[in-house]
Amino acid sequence: MIPGFGLTLGLTLMWLSLIVLIPLSGLVLKAATLGFSGFFDTILTARVLASLKLSFGLSLIAAAINLVLGLLIAWVLVRYEFPLRRILGAMVDIPFALPTAVAGIALTSLYAPNGPLGWLFGLIGLKIAFTPLGILVALIFIGLPFVVRTVEPVLADIDQATEEAAACLGATRFATFRRIILPAILPALLTGFALAFARAVGEYGSVIFIAGNLPMVSEIAPLLIVIKLEEFEYEQATAIAVAMLLASLVLLFLINVLQAWGRKRQGTA
Amino acid sequence: MNRDPLPIRILLIALAFLVMALLIGLPLVTVFAQALSKGWGEYVLALLDKTTLSAIRLTLITALISVAVNLVFGVMAAWAIAKYEFKGKSFLLTLIDLPFSVSPVIAGLVFVLMFGLQGWFGPALQGTGIKIIFALPGIVLATMFVTFPFVARELIPLMQEQGTEDEEAAVSLGASGFQTFFRVTLPNIKWGLVYGVLLCNARAMGEFGAVSVVSGHIRGKTNTMPLHVEILYNEYNFTAAFAVASLLALLAFVTLAAQSLLEWKKGHA
């Protein structure tokens, strides 16, 4: 028996409690002092509801767009040989590694009316920075690697013999994709989607520069928490945070279920 | 290798490059183009500004403390989880991952609720004169919270894969627990450890949301690099904002380059 079980597990639990669990339970305790009516009085105000709707709605749209873009990039990286493939692959991780504030100001100066892309979209009458569309751009940016990185290994693992068999039996390329490839990568796709969504809901740094932050229009929920804190409205900040935390916990549970499904699918395939 | 017709292949590859260039390439180019838009002289001058230097120093101190602490914790957690079987292991793993699914703003908020003036320990702290919120300890705590899973997450799969045979052999030959760890385990996991530390460091230096909530934004005192970027940007001092941002972007490049190098090393080991 290797020594050190009690020591390492004990210190792990202690440190986990001190840094993560006790602070988080402090948040829940604070919310409990509000009571149900206090909690809902905060959540059900028009401004809070608008911010929650904006955060969750845009995150959902961004994750859906990432689903398509991520599958495209993962597909190209796994299936094709072409020049600069390794560079393209390495670039996928940039949104993970680049600090969010840097991404935020870069995207803003690109999409602002006097920026190159903002000017281009302006020609067709589309305003991106300082509108909800700008938030969407930032959320797509930070979510992209999640789908690519979860789909890539599963796509690489698919036995191409099955695809060849399908083709030999007369299936079209599209039918092969729909009947053989898509079912195999579906759990990974949905996991990537959920991870991108979860990240987008809580995202702050890359969004606040490009958002415009107009109450009721382009004010995300994490920003509203910060505003309430600055106004010393600790109770209201806590209520919004708890509502978001509950949503993330549900998502986390969903991601775990999806990953278990994916492992089972891979195991039986 | 695949039977997708050439036109489809070319189309998909071109689309992938277009998406990556627009979404990720352009923002990166923007950071450096804006930083150098007034020449190298202005760039260097912006970096040598007194408040910029103090932001760099605070970021380095914060990252040093939080990475060192999370390194020790991560190794212990990975040891406990990978080398032994016990009940509730997957629950413990979920708890370790928890900071990944909490919004950075909420990560900051929980420490304000604990140590802020109106917080659980606020009144007690005020008597002692110890400052946590709007001071270095708060910034370090919030950074530790958001970077908590990085090292453990990197090490756990690696150590699980390596099993316990080497350690058991060492122990049966009379090695103590510490000897076993430093002479047997550590050489086996060193590259994974380096990679985990790099990721942890990148996030620690780049964290914005959580630190923003606890820092108080006192110029020259509690401003980290990402917060300094925000202040400069909001003052319309774009050249300086992008100059500081370019340092953070370089950090992201170094992290990703090291990651590629380590993966290449693993493939050739």
Side-chain angles (χ1 to χ4, degrees):
Chain A
M1 189 66 190
I2 309 163
F5 177 61
L7 178 78
T8 53
L9 186 67
L11 285 174
T12 298
L13 288 176
M14 187 193 83
W15 196 238
L16 180 72
S17 307
L18 280 177
I19 295 296
V20 179
L21 300 182
I22 294 174
L24 275 179
S25 42
L27 178 77
V28 176
L29 269 176
K30 181 86 180 171
T33 62
L34 300 176
F36 268 103
S37 60
F39 178 78
F40 285 109
D41 279 350
T42 300
I43 295 300
L44 294 181
T45 55
R47 190 176 174 189
V48 174
L49 277 181
S51 77
L52 287 171
K53 223 162 77 185
L54 186 75
S55 277
F56 282 91
L58 285 178
S59 300
L60 209 60
I61 300 172
I65 293 172
N66 277 330
L67 197 69
V68 178
L69 299 181
L71 176 58
L72 166 76
I73 288 159
W75 178 270
V76 165
L77 284 175
V78 170
R79 290 291 171 113
Y80 304 146
E81 278 297 335
F82 53 92
L84 301 179
R85 193 178 65 96
R86 290 183 65 96
I87 304 260
L88 193 76
M91 272 175 71
V92 170
D93 281 327
I94 295 263
F96 277 158
L98 195 69
T100 52
V102 178
I105 62 168
L107 288 171
T108 309
S109 78
L110 269 177
Y111 287 94
N114 57 356
L117 290 177
W119 174 80
L120 212 63
F121 281 106
L123 291 180
I124 55 169
L126 213 56
K127 203 167 173 284
I128 294 195
F130 318 124
T131 73
L133 274 182
I135 304 176
L136 191 64
V137 170
L139 296 182
I140 295 172
F141 174 87
I142 52 136
L144 185 68
F146 289 97
V147 179
V148 180
R149 291 298 180 228
T150 44
V151 171
E152 223 180 343
V154 182
L155 202 54
D157 263 1
I158 294 179
D159 186 7
Q160 299 214 352
T162 325
E163 283 173 58
E164 274 159 31
C168 286
L169 293 170
T172 62
R173 199 62 196 131
F174 180 69
T176 314
F177 178 79
R178 204 168 59 91
R179 298 279 180 86
I180 295 180
I181 299 169
L182 203 55
I185 59 172
L186 192 62
L189 265 178
L190 290 177
T191 305
F193 173 85
L195 286 170
F197 178 64
R199 170 71 200 263
V201 166
E203 180 58 23
Y204 177 71
S206 60
V207 172
I208 53 159
F209 295 98
I210 202 169
N213 305 328
L214 211 62
M216 305 296 295
V217 178
S218 56
E219 186 178 61
I220 55 167
L223 175 68
L224 196 51
I225 295 179
V226 174
I227 292 174
K228 295 289 180 196
L229 268 179
E230 278 166 2
E231 291 169 352
F232 299 104
E233 300 280 4
Y234 284 32
E235 278 77 18
Q236 295 186 23
T238 304
I240 305 169
V242 166
M244 289 186 63
L245 203 60
L246 284 177
S248 339
L249 287 182
V250 171
L251 269 173
L252 194 67
F253 176 72
L254 212 67
I255 291 168
N256 276 333
V257 171
L258 283 172
Q259 276 171 339
W261 180 36
R263 274 194 298 272
K264 215 170 114 192
R265 180 67 67 95
Q266 273 196 310
T268 53
Chain B
M1 166 182 176
N2 64 78
R3 292 154 295 96
D4 291 339
L6 190 65
I8 290 197
R9 249 186 290 170
I10 291 175
L11 177 75
L12 290 181
I13 291 171
L15 271 177
F17 270 105
L18 183 73
V19 168
M20 293 297 281
L22 268 179
L23 205 57
I24 293 170
L26 265 183
L28 276 182
V29 173
T30 304
V31 172
F32 292 96
Q34 294 269 12
L36 295 170
S37 62
K38 289 184 187 155
W40 285 94
E42 283 283 315
Y43 178 77
V44 174
L45 222 58
L47 293 183
L48 290 180
D49 178 78
K50 225 175 78 191
T51 51
T52 302
L53 287 178
S54 96
I56 294 175
R57 203 180 56 223
L58 182 62
T59 290
L60 290 176
I61 294 170
T62 306
L64 190 72
I65 301 173
S66 41
V67 171
V69 169
N70 277 338
L71 169 67
V72 175
F73 156 77
V75 170
M76 283 195 302
W79 180 276
I81 286 172
K83 302 291 175 191
Y84 310 97
E85 285 306 322
F86 56 92
K87 265 194 187 147
K89 194 195 251 188
S90 61
F91 184 60
L92 180 61
L93 267 172
T94 308
L95 287 182
I96 289 175
D97 273 346
L98 201 55
F100 276 152
S101 42
V102 172
S103 171
V105 168
I106 297 179
L109 169 70
V110 294
F111 291 106
V112 173
L113 289 182
M114 279 185 89
F115 301 114
L117 269 184
Q118 301 179 35
W120 301 106
F121 303 110
L125 275 172
Q126 220 185 0
T128 65
I130 300 171
K131 267 196 98 164
I132 292 187
I133 298 305
F134 304 149
L136 180 68
I139 295 174
V140 172
L141 279 172
T143 307
M144 276 202 267
F145 183 103
V146 290
T147 56
F148 192 82
F150 280 91
V151 178
R153 259 288 149 207
E154 206 50 46
L155 287 183
I156 289 167
L158 185 67
M159 284 169 78
Q160 275 176 333
E161 202 181 301
Q162 285 170 350
T164 54
E165 281 170 21
D166 291 1
E167 283 83 5
E168 272 158 14
V171 170
S172 68
L173 289 171
S176 72
F178 282 103
Q179 281 175 322
T180 308
F181 174 73
F182 283 106
R183 303 257 180 101
V184 178
T185 312
L186 194 58
N188 280 339
I189 60 167
K190 65 176 178 230
W191 294 120
L193 196 65
V194 170
Y195 184 37
V197 164
L198 278 173
L199 283 181
C200 186
N201 178 63
R203 180 69 195 265
M205 288 189 170
E207 178 53 30
F208 180 75
V211 173
S212 166
V213 171
V214 295
S215 126
H217 305 93
I218 307 163
R219 216 178 166 131
K221 276 204 176 131
T222 62
N223 244 351
T224 61
M225 284 168 79
L227 298 180
H228 196 52
V229 168
E230 182 196 22
I231 289 191
L232 292 170
Y233 190 85
N234 287 341
E235 287 172 348
Y236 301 102
N237 193 348
F238 294 135
T239 312
F242 277 102
V244 180
S246 73
L247 290 186
L248 290 167
L250 282 178
L251 169 76
F253 282 142
V254 171
T255 307
L256 290 182
Q259 172 191 8
S260 304
L261 194 72
L262 289 175
E263 255 161 29
W264 181 82
K265 232 185 164 92
K266 207 165 71 184
H268 288 250

